[in-house]
Amino acid sequence: ETGVTQSPTHLIKTRGQQVTLRCSSQSGHNTVSWYQQALGQGPQFIFQYYREEENGRGNFPPRFSGLQFPNYSSELNVNALELDDSALYLCASSLGGAGGRNEQFFGPGTRLTVL
Amino acid sequence: AQKVTQAQTEISVVEKEDVTLDCVYETRDTTYYLFWYKQPPSGELVFLIRRNSFDEQNEISGRYSWNFQKSTSSFNFTITASQVVDSAVYFCALAHGTTGNQFYFGTGTSLTVIP
């Protein structure tokens, strides 16, 4: 069974740029959730994709957007980067869409630094 | 509103001591799920346990045990005979039972086990 993978591992961008982060879900999982984890904080939910549709969104501005592909892999796009976007971005895959009954399995994360 | 509080920011114990990590949650849902995750220095969140709101039985898995008490809205985690490999940040999380998709994480407890 293949686990959740994310790329790249680290990324450095400057303010105002755009970035795309990628996630491959665990084999057999059809749901991907994205979280932002600032230093010393718990992960904050950005949004979730289930069968290629957005299936819930946290309190993040529209410049955070995403996609899910037919193979259930996913992208997180952030436009007009701000210094506060510097964080660890975690992708989690799970089985099923609604409700929290299914545990989420996390990838290693992408560390984004905005200068 | 959904909220998870982990009041202990940092804990240090000597190897072989027992340690309990506290988690208090708030929710108006009658159906919900509680989780514990471990985050080692590598950054990847590792799933430890899931508990639904209708199952208040305590659970033991090796050196790990969990005490779920709905009366006090707590879901505490105890490590018995701690080991250096237990050093990590531990997160408690809450999810809706039937609607919504996000996990609400606490701010985490950083555990250091001193050899």
Side-chain angles (χ1 to χ4, degrees):
Chain A
E1 188 174 87
T2 305
V4 180
T5 60
Q6 292 185 243
S7 63
T9 306
H10 296 87
L11 204 52
I12 299 175
K13 292 285 188 178
T14 56
R15 196 170 46 182
Q17 285 188 312
Q18 178 265 343
V19 68
T20 297
L21 310 182
R22 295 178 175 83
C23 170
S24 291
S25 60
Q26 185 167 311
S27 177
H29 286 180
N30 55 17
T31 303
V32 171
S33 304
W34 285 93
Y35 292 82
Q36 180 195 66
Q37 186 180 15
L39 200 60
Q41 300 296 315
Q44 299 291 315
F45 177 74
I46 302 174
F47 44 57
Q48 183 183 83
Y49 279 84
Y50 171 59
R51 294 183 176 178
E52 303 179 57
E53 297 286 333
E54 188 178 287
N55 190 41
R57 187 179 183 93
N59 189 26
F60 281 79
R63 57 190 186 84
F64 285 79
S65 63
L67 283 173
Q68 187 178 33
F69 300 99
N71 65 355
Y72 302 131
S73 65
S74 177
E75 287 183 352
L76 164 65
N77 300 291
V78 187
N79 293 322
L81 284 167
E82 301 178 359
L83 297 179
D84 285 348
D85 295 334
S86 295
L88 180 68
Y89 287 85
L90 294 164
C91 165
S93 78
S94 57
L95 189 59
R101 59 187 175 278
N102 296 312
E103 56 267 35
Q104 297 186 0
F105 294 91
F106 285 80
T110 294
R111 174 73 63 187
L112 173 64
T113 301
V114 182
L115 303 176
Chain B
Q2 321 292 325
K3 185 179 179 181
V4 174
T5 301
Q6 295 180 257
Q8 304 153 307
T9 305
E10 295 180 3
I11 300 177
S12 291
V13 298
V14 176
E15 199 171 21
K16 297 184 182 177
E17 286 184 346
D18 299 347
V19 58
T20 296
L21 310 182
D22 297 333
C23 172
V24 175
Y25 62 93
E26 296 176 29
T27 181
R28 293 181 181 176
D29 291 351
T30 55
T31 304
Y32 53 89
Y33 294 84
L34 296 164
F35 301 81
W36 275 95
Y37 283 85
K38 174 182 180 180
Q39 188 174 43
S42 62
E44 184 170 343
L45 283 162
V46 178
F47 167 76
L48 296 177
I49 190 173
R50 176 192 63 197
R51 176 66 54 178
N52 74 57
S53 53
F54 297 106
D55 183 2
E56 286 193 73
Q57 284 190 4
N58 292 330
E59 182 159 338
I60 298 174
S61 176
R63 296 184 297 107
Y64 296 170
S65 62
W66 290 269
N67 184 354
F68 175 31
Q69 291 192 340
K70 288 179 72 171
S71 61
T72 56
S73 297
S74 65
F75 186 43
N76 296 336
F77 173 31
T78 297
I79 302 175
T80 302
S82 59
Q83 299 177 0
V84 173
V85 293
D86 296 328
S87 297
V89 181
Y90 291 86
F91 290 95
C92 180
L94 167 70
H96 294 285
T98 55
T99 61
N101 310 289
Q102 65 187 89
F103 279 28
Y104 298 86
F105 283 86
T107 51
T109 297
S110 178
L111 173 65
T112 300
V113 180
I114 303 166

